[in-house]
Amino acid sequence: MSPYQLDVGLGERSYPIFIEDGIMAQIGADLAKRDIASRYAVISDDYVAKLYGSTLMAALKEAGIQAELVTFPRGEASKNLQVFAELSSRLAQIGIDRKSGLIALGGGVTGDLTGFLAASYLRGIPFVQVPTTLLSQVDSSVGGKTGVDIPEGKNLVGAFYQPKAVYIDTAVLTTLPLEEYLGGIAEVIKYGVIRDFEFYCFLERNLDGILGLNPALVQEMIYTCCRIKAEVVAQDERESDLRRILNFGHTIGHAVEAASDFSIIHGHAVAIGMVAALRLAVASGLCKRKEAGRVATLIHAYGLPTEIPAELDRQRIKSYIKKDKKSVGGSVFYVLATTIGQVIITNEITEEQVDSILQR
Ligand code: GLY
């Protein structure tokens, strides 16, 4: 198996992450060696199922693993309680029992929905993540956040529930639309800024290779992101403290995403949010202007946006910032960089400071 593997260290609930070009075809053989479940339901959206369903199902069959493919309509609109209920019924109909497991084959919607199903169905059955977007490979497939959206907000119903294994096939990125790949790159840059200056320099040095999907570089990049995320999650699984650093760029980013009625995709909104957070840090005297500029330059060089579009209503953005589900007791927390590779969490940013960033 892959030279790029690591563990998320959570005691008895620790699990491996494997990163390899073409690993999809080996998942069956690896699962057959693990004592996770006696049969599986593979959950996927109809689009990803068409692309990769047959490869995964063939790999499972070849390893003698009984599995069925269960699909739902593609898109964030499916990450809701109705689809959750429909999938639950489907699992019951095909006889998924306590000894069975789920395999999430897809992006963040599929992983979050399947994880929440696994956490709830029969009060919890095991599940495995096979993320197929860069964003889900470096973020949502690792760390156990699962859930669905409700009309009042995204991810408002869910559970912390860790997978048993994560298989990351970098070959699938060749079919990912460029916009989505870049959305994932925003989260990748985030890891460098919050925790690893050397990795940040790697992203500067290897821009062409990363944009050109050089397999060795992409594997190393994903491995480093997963390593950082695993370290953070192992220390603070339930986001009481350290894990909040993973929200760097997300406070303003989520608000921009929501105020655009989600026409700006998550990763791009995070790119804008990271630049805004860096400007806030400069305005608060926490970070040098030159360092903030260096990160904005890299974000731009990767083809990601750095500015809040002029047409977005600033008042709407502000009201979404206040509604941020991570705000506690009415104060909004910001993750701000003090230098590239280090952040702090603060609730001492004034409305005026935020205003001046939003009005730029
Ligand atoms: N996406 C942030 C986290 O998993 O904590």
Side-chain angles (χ1 to χ4, degrees):
M1 281 274 248
S2 157
Y4 290 109
Q5 39 177 291
L6 64 141
D7 273 312
V8 183
L10 289 165
E12 281 182 344
R13 291 174 301 119
S14 295
Y15 54 94
I17 304 173
F18 303 99
I19 302 148
E20 193 175 336
D21 213 51
I23 202 175
M24 189 85 75
Q26 298 168 47
I27 292 175
D30 189 71
L31 276 180
K33 287 188 276 175
R34 294 175 194 277
D35 188 20
I36 297 177
S38 56
R39 66 178 279 214
Y40 290 92
V42 176
I43 316 273
S44 192
D45 71 43
D46 40 19
Y47 176 79
V48 174
K50 264 198 207 109
L51 285 175
Y52 298 113
S54 54
T55 309
L56 180 58
M57 296 306 282
L60 294 169
K61 193 168 172 205
E62 202 175 305
I65 296 174
Q66 197 194 334
E68 265 159 280
L69 183 61
V70 175
T71 62
F72 64 89
R74 178 168 173 76
E76 181 82 28
S78 282
K79 204 176 125 177
N80 62 29
L81 288 165
Q82 194 194 325
V83 174
F84 174 86
E86 285 163 11
L87 289 172
S88 304
S89 294
R90 189 84 189 99
L91 296 182
Q93 285 156 12
I94 62 173
I96 292 295
D97 62 16
R98 276 181 202 290
K99 293 209 164 105
S100 314
L102 304 184
I103 300 177
L105 172 67
V109 168
T110 303
D112 287 8
L113 188 56
T114 306
F116 189 43
L117 264 175
S120 323
Y121 185 79
L122 298 178
R123 300 197 180 87
I125 58 171
F127 87 113
V128 168
Q129 290 269 22
V130 185
T132 58
T133 61
L134 180 60
L135 188 67
S136 57
Q137 293 180 342
V138 298
D139 184 18
S140 58
S141 68
V142 175
K145 280 190 183 176
T146 74
V148 294
D149 305 332
I150 56 175
E152 289 72 18
K154 285 177 79 172
N155 299 318
L156 289 189
V157 176
F160 283 102
Y161 194 68
Q162 302 292 343
K164 296 289 182 201
V166 183
Y167 297 95
I168 298 178
D169 188 344
T170 46
V172 304
L173 298 176
T174 53
T175 58
L176 190 68
L178 177 65
E179 197 192 30
E180 278 197 52
Y181 182 64
L182 294 181
I185 292 288
E187 298 278 357
V188 168
I189 295 173
K190 178 192 82 177
Y191 287 106
V193 178
I194 62 173
R195 214 144 153 99
D196 194 330
F197 178 65
E198 245 179 67
F199 179 54
Y200 179 85
C201 296
F202 166 90
L203 298 175
E204 280 184 336
R205 264 196 325 274
N206 294 298
L207 183 133
D208 290 340
I210 289 169
L211 286 178
L213 285 180
N214 174 303
L217 289 175
V218 169
Q219 282 173 61
E220 188 172 342
M221 171 182 89
I222 294 174
Y223 171 81
T224 308
C225 295
C226 289
R227 175 183 55 71
I228 296 171
K229 180 142 191 191
E231 275 165 26
V232 171
V233 169
Q235 284 182 56
D236 177 24
E237 184 184 3
R238 291 185 165 249
E239 197 172 300
S240 50
D241 185 27
L242 180 71
R243 186 164 180 168
R244 291 186 297 171
I245 69 172
L246 299 175
N247 296 319
F248 174 64
H250 284 61
T251 308
I252 294 176
H254 274 156
V256 165
E257 191 182 355
S260 78
D261 294 318
F262 298 93
S263 64
I264 301 180
I265 67 168
H266 178 75
H268 292 229
V270 168
I272 293 169
M274 288 194 291
V275 175
L278 285 155
R279 289 178 181 152
L280 265 181
V282 173
S284 333
L286 289 165
C287 178
K288 292 201 185 94
R289 189 174 299 277
K290 205 172 134 206
E291 301 227 355
R294 181 171 170 183
V295 180
T297 302
L298 184 67
I299 290 173
H300 179 72
Y302 271 101
L304 284 160
T306 54
E307 306 300 325
I308 304 171
E311 65 277 13
L312 281 196
D313 180 351
R314 271 39 188 180
Q315 286 309 325
R316 253 189 105 192
I317 298 178
K318 275 173 68 177
S319 70
Y320 280 117
I321 290 176
K322 285 196 191 126
K323 272 204 276 186
D324 190 300
K325 70 175 185 299
K326 283 161 187 114
S327 65
V328 181
S331 57
V332 180
F333 282 86
Y334 287 90
V335 183
L336 299 183
T338 51
T339 181
I340 299 172
Q342 228 165 41
V343 286
I344 57 149
I345 300 166
T346 175
N347 64 349
E348 285 174 9
I349 297 300
T350 63
E351 228 177 300
E352 292 68 39
Q353 283 172 315
V354 177
D355 275 345
S356 75
I357 300 302
L358 295 183
Q359 298 316 332
R360 264 178 68 111

